[in-house]
Amino acid sequence: MNSSMKRNPPRAGVLFAFEGIDQSGKKTLSALLMERLKQVGIQGEIISFPDYTTPIGRELKFYLAGEREYPPQTRHLLFAANRWERKRDIESWLQGEKVVLANRYVASGVAYGMAHGLEKDWLWNLEEGLPKPDQTFLIDIPPQVSFARKMKERDLYEEQTDLLKRAREAYLDLASEGHWAVLDGTREMESVFSDLFGGVMEILSSRGYKIRPSPRTHP
Ligand code: TMP
């Protein structure tokens, strides 16, 4: 998280963001996490960006399928605008003391924008005013692993090894600046999840969440 960004206003919920290049396991991990949170009595919501269900999200889907062309700044404004379309929902979940899991969030805008050669500060400014994550988890994998996990039907960005390499580098740069938790996503899912769950529980306990004992210890 950019240290120059203003602090969040007080709120009751917790927002966790999951970042990483394609095929890093973000969606699987957040779905497992939501299941486990429910088992320990914690209410939550999952949101994924791009959110393809909104008007701007539908436009992004066309772009990612190669059916639209935009200059780099315009498309990154669209990616950010797509998050602004969901701002009120995220805020209301947080006010309702929910744990919100975001599959890709503000840092995707910044990392992929940087990978396309855009200015980091310009990119962060587009996100200024959105709820800030309490913790960002970077599920780190190299592009070769992303390709090995999904060989066909890759979208416009997924096809480009150099872009993924630059996005990964940008993520690692942002992670060290923003004190994110970096998890080695090349490991078995169970092992990545166990680290993730430990980190999440620590934060939730420190924020006063009541955690009901769960019989299950593995995903
Ligand atoms: P997805 O595969 O997770 O649905 O994301 C589609 C692509 O959009 C992915 O390659 C990353 C890219 N992206 C950005 O460039 N900026 C953003 O702000 C977001 C959310 C995604």
Side-chain angles (χ1 to χ4, degrees):
M1 178 59 43
N2 186 356
S3 54
S4 71
M5 289 177 88
K6 285 183 222 97
R7 298 190 74 79
N8 274 327
R11 62 181 194 213
V14 177
L15 172 56
F16 293 116
F18 299 92
E19 297 287 354
I21 64 170
D22 309 278
Q23 305 304 313
S24 52
K26 302 178 292 294
K27 275 194 184 154
T28 309
L29 288 165
S30 57
L32 281 173
L33 179 59
M34 186 54 71
E35 198 185 305
R36 288 294 300 279
L37 289 177
K38 291 207 165 121
Q39 286 169 3
V40 296
I42 293 176
Q43 295 302 309
E45 298 281 349
I46 298 190
I47 188 164
S48 295
F49 290 105
D51 174 355
Y52 299 111
T53 66
T54 68
I56 290 170
R58 284 192 281 278
E59 189 56 29
L60 283 167
K61 199 170 180 72
F62 283 128
Y63 165 69
L64 287 166
E67 292 171 29
R68 293 275 199 280
E69 281 187 26
Y70 287 112
Q73 285 85 352
T74 311
R75 63 189 187 233
H76 286 281
L77 283 163
L78 290 176
F79 278 116
N82 184 229
R83 283 182 278 282
W84 283 89
E85 288 182 296
R86 300 301 310 274
K87 177 184 189 236
R88 291 176 68 169
D89 294 318
I90 299 173
E91 282 177 346
S92 84
W93 292 332
L94 292 171
Q95 278 153 18
E97 298 189 18
K98 287 185 170 173
V99 172
V100 181
L101 310 182
N103 281 317
R104 296 195 180 282
Y105 192 49
V106 293
S108 277
V110 180
Y112 280 78
M114 285 168 72
H116 280 105
L118 298 175
E119 278 269 315
K120 184 158 54 172
D121 287 349
W122 184 83
L123 291 159
W124 273 125
N125 277 334
L126 305 182
E127 316 294 338
E128 182 67 56
L130 291 169
K132 296 178 187 28
D134 292 277
Q135 178 66 280
T136 298
F137 292 92
L138 173 60
I139 319 300
D140 181 48
I141 57 165
Q144 309 87 279
V145 172
S146 171
F147 277 92
R149 286 180 181 173
K150 184 181 175 192
M151 292 181 174
K152 286 190 271 180
E153 291 170 8
R154 297 179 68 91
D155 71 26
L156 195 67
Y157 284 3
E158 288 174 327
E159 285 166 2
Q160 305 173 45
T161 322
D162 281 356
L163 176 70
L164 291 190
K165 193 165 165 279
R166 289 196 301 274
R168 183 195 187 200
E169 280 161 10
Y171 268 137
L172 288 168
D173 170 45
L174 296 172
S176 64
E177 253 179 32
H179 308 290
W180 300 357
V182 181
L183 304 177
D184 173 3
T186 62
R187 294 171 296 158
E188 291 293 319
M189 196 55 79
E190 198 167 311
S191 154
V192 185
F193 182 77
S194 158
D195 288 356
L196 171 66
F197 191 66
V200 163
M201 283 299 121
E202 210 172 292
I203 293 170
L204 294 181
S205 313
S206 75
R207 294 281 294 265
Y209 276 80
K210 298 244 177 318
I211 296 159
R212 203 168 60 200
S214 155
R216 293 184 61 194
T217 51
H218 296 291

